[in-house]
Amino acid sequence: MQTELSKKLGVEHAVFGFTPFPAVAAAISRAGGFGVLGAVRYTAPDELKRDLDWIEAHVDGKPYGLDVVMPARKVEGVTEAEVEAMIPEGHRQFVRDTLAKYGVPELAEGEASGWRITGWMEQVARNQLDVAFDYPIRLLANALGSPPADVVARAHERNVLVAALAGSARHAVKHKEGGIDIVVAQGYEAGGHTGDIASMVLTPEVVDAVDPLPVLAAGGIGSGQQVAAALALGAQGVWLGSIWLTTTEAELPSPKLIEKLFAAGSGDTVRSRALTGKPARQLRTEWTDAWDSADGPGTLPMPLQGLLVADAVSRIQKYEVEPLLGTPVGQIVGRMTSERSVQAVFDDLTRGFEEAVDRINRIAGRSGQ
């Protein structure tokens, strides 16, 4: 599964794996793909440094990258406390009432939330980059589109390629104009923040719009046959995220959550603003239903919504309150039915890819050539 882009980066397979877990990122790179560590959960630079040190020690010299979340436009002089103060009391009360309805216990006194999204505030992301650029990362990806121009320039000075996610051809063209090296065409089926155009339509549109920039196809991909389809549509690789959540190297906090992922079908996700304030695909739960209900107060814009629900999400996860328990995940969840190692996932991807290529060759009358 090699392409011009994978050869440029020195990886065996054009499979880019996004994950919040260092062990998964390292395993992806060791298996011949390109591991990309999500940095949004690192609010302290020392924590990111610790995990990048670990990856360096366990990646066997293979290349890897980092994914941050930062806006292209900077808001000057706004502190986290000032952002918190913008949250209406009615929304805070709705969170309290919903948690009380399901009997969710409080965190212990003095226990901080383990699920903060201050990583979506620009200065936190810049602090992450101050750490990351001391490591030999080969790729910097931004989940909110093109990062600020000075960040792109800083990456290029270090020979680091920059990737940006796009949900439409129009967004992709803006990324190209902003000096981005790789566009990730993320379709409607994807987990996390995603647009409303399906991958089968989006990928070739973006490929045509940004030619000759390389494009990675994302959204609902979890088999080798789908990798082959993505390359046939003109992509130079695939960007996979959800499929790694149930690998043995992952560190999901809740056994009940893993069971819910195994039991979920492809129709059991929803695009909701409940988690972050932007449409993000996740497991449908009674928590997302409450926020999306006409009786609710409505969600707040990013980053207010994320700050509002941070403690609540931590409590739900810690105490494994099953009706409310969820996670960002794509429609590929229907194929995530058992725990496998990252290497086993790659074995399935390569096997399926070969089968798909052989099938097309037979259809084209090229069998055996």
Side-chain angles (χ1 to χ4, degrees):
M1 298 189 291
Q2 278 203 335
T3 64
E4 182 180 343
L5 178 61
S6 66
K7 293 175 182 177
K8 180 176 182 178
L9 287 168
V11 295
E12 183 180 359
H13 303 301
V15 174
F16 294 71
F18 164 81
T19 175
F21 306 122
V24 176
I28 290 169
S29 290
R30 289 198 308 270
F34 191 99
V36 181
L37 178 67
V40 70
R41 68 190 180 101
Y42 295 99
T43 56
D46 287 348
E47 295 173 353
L48 178 59
K49 183 179 186 305
R50 175 201 64 206
D51 283 356
L52 288 176
D53 283 339
W54 190 94
I55 290 177
E56 274 291 298
H58 293 84
V59 81
D60 293 348
K62 302 293 179 63
Y64 62 94
L66 190 76
D67 178 279
V68 297
V69 180
M70 62 190 309
R73 297 176 183 174
K74 184 175 183 178
V75 179
E76 297 281 0
V78 179
T79 66
E80 181 181 343
E82 289 171 331
V83 174
E84 289 260 18
M86 299 176 189
I87 298 173
E89 177 56 30
H91 283 72
R92 295 187 187 277
Q93 188 61 50
F94 179 76
V95 171
R96 290 192 289 267
D97 291 345
T98 304
L99 296 178
K101 176 181 177 180
Y102 291 91
V104 182
E106 297 276 358
L107 295 174
E109 185 174 351
E111 183 178 358
S113 166
W115 196 89
R116 297 292 284 176
I117 34 203
T118 52
W120 291 333
M121 299 182 73
E122 183 185 349
Q123 188 53 52
V124 176
R126 287 183 177 275
N127 292 341
Q128 293 166 350
L129 293 178
D130 288 341
V131 173
F133 283 141
D134 286 336
Y135 292 80
I137 62 171
R138 295 293 310 281
L139 176 73
L140 172 66
N142 187 32
L144 286 184
S146 301
D150 67 295
V151 172
V152 175
R154 191 177 174 193
H156 287 166
E157 288 171 1
R158 291 161 174 78
N159 199 31
V160 175
L161 297 181
V162 181
L165 275 66
S168 71
R170 177 173 57 86
H171 293 156
V173 169
K174 288 184 177 180
H175 298 341
K176 181 180 180 180
E177 292 171 348
I180 298 302
D181 304 293
I182 302 168
V183 175
V184 181
Q186 177 153 295
Y188 172 82
E189 308 94 327
H193 296 129
T194 190
D196 53 12
I197 303 175
S199 298
M200 195 73 173
V201 174
L202 180 65
T203 300
E205 283 188 353
V206 171
V207 168
D208 289 344
V210 301
D211 184 62
L213 285 189
V215 172
L216 301 178
I221 301 173
S223 71
Q225 291 87 345
Q226 291 170 303
V227 176
L231 299 189
L233 292 172
Q236 287 203 31
V238 293
W239 179 274
L240 309 185
S242 298
I243 198 71
W244 316 111
L245 287 174
T246 52
T247 56
T248 54
E249 294 88 349
E251 303 165 15
L252 282 181
S254 164
K256 286 186 179 179
L257 177 56
I258 296 173
E259 292 173 6
K260 289 188 75 171
L261 289 171
F262 287 157
S266 57
D268 292 327
T269 68
V270 63
R271 283 174 75 239
S272 171
R273 297 178 184 267
L275 194 61
T276 71
K278 285 184 176 290
R281 185 171 298 285
Q282 55 204 280
L283 277 182
R284 182 176 181 177
T285 67
E286 293 185 31
W287 175 257
T288 61
D289 285 350
W291 279 103
D292 295 338
S293 168
D295 298 330
T299 55
L300 298 171
M302 179 187 279
L304 299 182
Q305 181 70 17
L307 292 170
L308 168 66
V309 304
D311 287 344
V313 171
S314 287
R315 289 165 61 185
I316 291 166
Q317 290 180 347
K318 177 177 179 178
Y319 298 110
E320 296 190 296
V321 183
E322 195 275 339
L324 306 180
L325 192 60
T327 185
V329 70
Q331 291 181 331
I332 196 63
V333 69
R335 294 182 65 98
M336 296 158 52
T337 57
S338 63
E339 190 176 51
R340 298 179 293 167
S341 68
V342 167
Q343 183 61 61
V345 172
F346 266 90
D347 290 343
D348 285 347
L349 290 173
T350 54
R351 186 181 308 112
F353 179 83
E354 290 170 358
E355 290 172 355
V357 172
D358 287 345
R359 185 181 306 118
I360 294 300
N361 281 334
R362 287 196 300 272
I363 292 172
R366 299 191 183 99
S367 181
Q369 294 183 13

